Amino acid sequence: MKKIFLICLTAGITQFANAVPNFWESTSRQDTQSLSISSDNNSQLTISCHLNEMSVSGLRKEILVEHNGNFFETSGTKNPLSFLINDTNSFAPQTSNSGASKADWNTFLIALPSAKKIEVYNNNKFLFTLNPRNSNTGLDDLKACLIN
């Protein structure tokens, strides 16, 4: 199931390959809400959640980063992703549905609309910087991904 999700997510990402840099784009497909933004050097951050996949384990969610042809995701601790927003707030949201992970996920999503600068890290190594131009309006669909 996870492989199918990643294939669908990757297929969705290809549509953003020629997107305007530093501009949030939203898509909704088969009960999946995805928000993507690419950098000036075509690196990309995609945040997704499955709106109708609530179960005992909770809302299914993903963060996927594409950089220099490599893909990194938030599932597990092998390649942890972290983000520095506006040089002040650091986030390392996990996609599990434990209590702490839910709070981290929501705090990360709530911080994104005020983001003017997002630095993306993998294993504490800097990957790229995003400078969103439409965070205050382009992330309206993000509210659907918040966990109650």
Side-chain angles (χ1 to χ4, degrees):
M1 183 71 176
K2 185 174 181 176
K3 287 182 182 182
I4 292 171
F5 171 71
L6 287 175
I7 290 169
C8 293
L9 185 59
T10 303
I13 287 174
T14 58
Q15 94 172 26
F16 295 109
N18 296 317
V20 175
N22 294 304
F23 199 83
W24 285 104
E25 307 240 2
S26 175
T27 60
S28 185
R29 288 196 178 115
Q30 294 186 354
D31 299 328
T32 299
Q33 182 66 46
S34 295
L35 294 138
S36 294
I37 186 168
S38 61
S39 68
D40 293 328
N41 64 359
N42 291 324
S43 294
Q44 184 163 347
L45 167 64
T46 301
I47 301 167
S48 297
C49 64
H50 295 269
L51 303 176
N52 288 331
E53 289 201 22
M54 290 299 286
S55 65
V56 175
S57 61
L59 180 72
R60 192 159 151 216
K61 50 205 178 297
E62 292 281 333
I63 298 176
L64 182 67
V65 169
E66 189 275 326
H67 177 66
N68 292 336
N70 297 312
F71 289 90
F72 307 96
E73 61 178 311
T74 54
S75 62
T77 58
K78 182 178 177 186
N79 291 308
L81 293 170
S82 56
F83 306 90
L84 181 63
I85 297 179
N86 297 331
D87 292 322
T88 57
N89 296 314
S90 175
F91 299 94
Q94 297 298 309
T95 57
S96 72
N97 284 302
S98 69
S101 291
K102 288 179 184 179
D104 289 347
W105 175 262
N106 283 348
T107 303
F108 173 65
L109 294 185
I110 290 167
L112 285 175
S114 66
K116 300 293 182 210
K117 179 181 176 185
I118 303 170
E119 293 180 8
V120 180
Y121 294 83
N122 175 251
N123 284 331
N124 295 321
K125 293 178 185 170
F126 175 76
L127 296 178
F128 59 92
T129 299
L130 298 161
N131 297 296
R133 296 184 280 171
N134 67 328
S135 289
N136 57 344
T137 58
L139 296 174
D140 292 337
D141 296 330
L142 201 57
K143 294 173 188 163
C145 292
L146 291 172
I147 302 170
N148 295 329

